[in-house]
Amino acid sequence: MALIVQKYGGSSVADAESIKRVAKRIVDTRRAGHDVVVAVSAMGDTTDELLELASEVAPIPAPRELDMLLSSGERISMALLAMAIHSMGFEARSFTGSQAGMITDAHHGAARIVDVTPIRLREALDEGAIVIVAGFQGFNRDTRDITTLGRGGSDTTAVALAAALDADVCEIYSDVDGIFTADPRVVPKARKLEVISSEEMLELAANGAKVLYIRAVEYARRHGVLIHARSTFSSTEGTLVVDEARREELSTLFPQLQGDHMEEPVVAGVATDLSQAKITILGVPDIPGKAAEIFKIVAKSGANVDMIVQNISAATTGRTDISFTLPKSDAALALRALAAEQDDVGFESLVHDDQIGKLSVVGAGMRSNSGVSATLFDALSAAGINIEMISTSEIRISVVLRGDDLAEAARAVHTAFGLDGEVDATVYAGTGR
Ligand code: ASP
Ligand code: MG
């Protein structure tokens, strides 16, 4: 008997029929003799609809009230799910985030979990009940207010519950079969991975892969939680996201973790991201302190800078250009902040480009293999695609390209690293969540 945490995303509980299907899946797990704790998202597009409604009554809704509103979405699905399980003859009890002991900081709309005290959940489990917890929400002890964890926060709820309850596995259900070597909607030959290391998953999630939320993967990595990403719409095994250090120990429970991993491909996957923009600052005086001034201004605007490139300065002018990427949604504020300080910093002009795409190849094998960048650049050159920026980490290489070239680039690179599967991947209609 194991303790299994399951998370069901909005697309898995979109209507009454789906809720009953999920209830059956939960009951089957219980019947197999396991203790089950479920974190559930709001039904379908409920969160978007509530946000829309809020914006209709107030241009900038009060953050406290917005969290009160949004957290209600998950209360609806948790109660309906518990009812559906009851009607199948099983004991189920639903809990809000605060009842479940999900303690967060006070940051409305993007709260961080600081502690989990699942006392009531343990009691319910001891009494033989299936436990259902509203995802995406918590409670702050100082303000005594309800908080939400940010979009997609139910993944984090599930992982945090798994860590606090010392669960054997945290199963994250969505409408895709698992983690793929690339987004199957972009690269039809993408293959489902049986296993991926949590450090590789973290890089993929940080660079555009949407199947798991980065904060949940971070939390899992920090607390050694084993994630199993799988589909509500099929019974096939999904992908295990595992901390390399725990691989041996877990392989008794999960045979797919056994064996020799030396033969694994150097690149685990290709991530694509169309959500970034590029700002170029032209004619920056090439003297000490200018980069510091610029990025202080950008940071103060709240923008989250990703890649940075500085050109060699032209000897004749003593000036240089600096380009950086940031989320499209942060660009307007960053541009305004920079323009306001133009005279002080002394640069010549600003260029904004929101037609870029970012492609990243990720693989722990890069540590011990040379030639990964050469293969990447070769594949892009053969496809006639121009590279605008490059950045690397220990296990990742990212390039910025024209957004229009991104899909073609991803397919070419996927092939070049030998990742193509024999058949096209199954893509279910849906959001990928
Ligand atoms: N319902 C929330 C959202 O749509 C949380 C989640 O789905 O994980 O962002
Ligand atoms: Mg949702």
Side-chain angles (χ1 to χ4, degrees), residues 7 9-11 41-48 74 151-152 154 433:
K7 180 262 175 176
S11 65
S41 291
M43 295 170 69
D45 297 327
T46 302
T47 308
D48 290 315
E74 271 72 9
R151 296 310 304 268
S154 302
R433 293 294 306 152

Side-chain angles (χ1 to χ4, degrees), residues 4 6-8 12 25 29 169-179 192 211-212 227-240 254 428 433:
I4 298 179
Q6 300 185 330
K7 180 262 175 176
Y8 292 93
S12 303
R25 206 161 181 140
T29 313
V169 59
C170 179
E171 299 182 335
I172 298 193
Y173 287 88
S174 68
D175 63 6
V176 292
D177 280 338
I179 316 293
K192 187 182 76 185
V211 51
L212 290 178
I227 293 179
H228 185 181
R230 55 195 308 194
S231 165
T232 319
F233 301 96
S234 79
S235 55
T236 54
E237 294 281 312
T239 306
L240 294 178
F254 299 91
Y428 303 97
R433 293 294 306 152

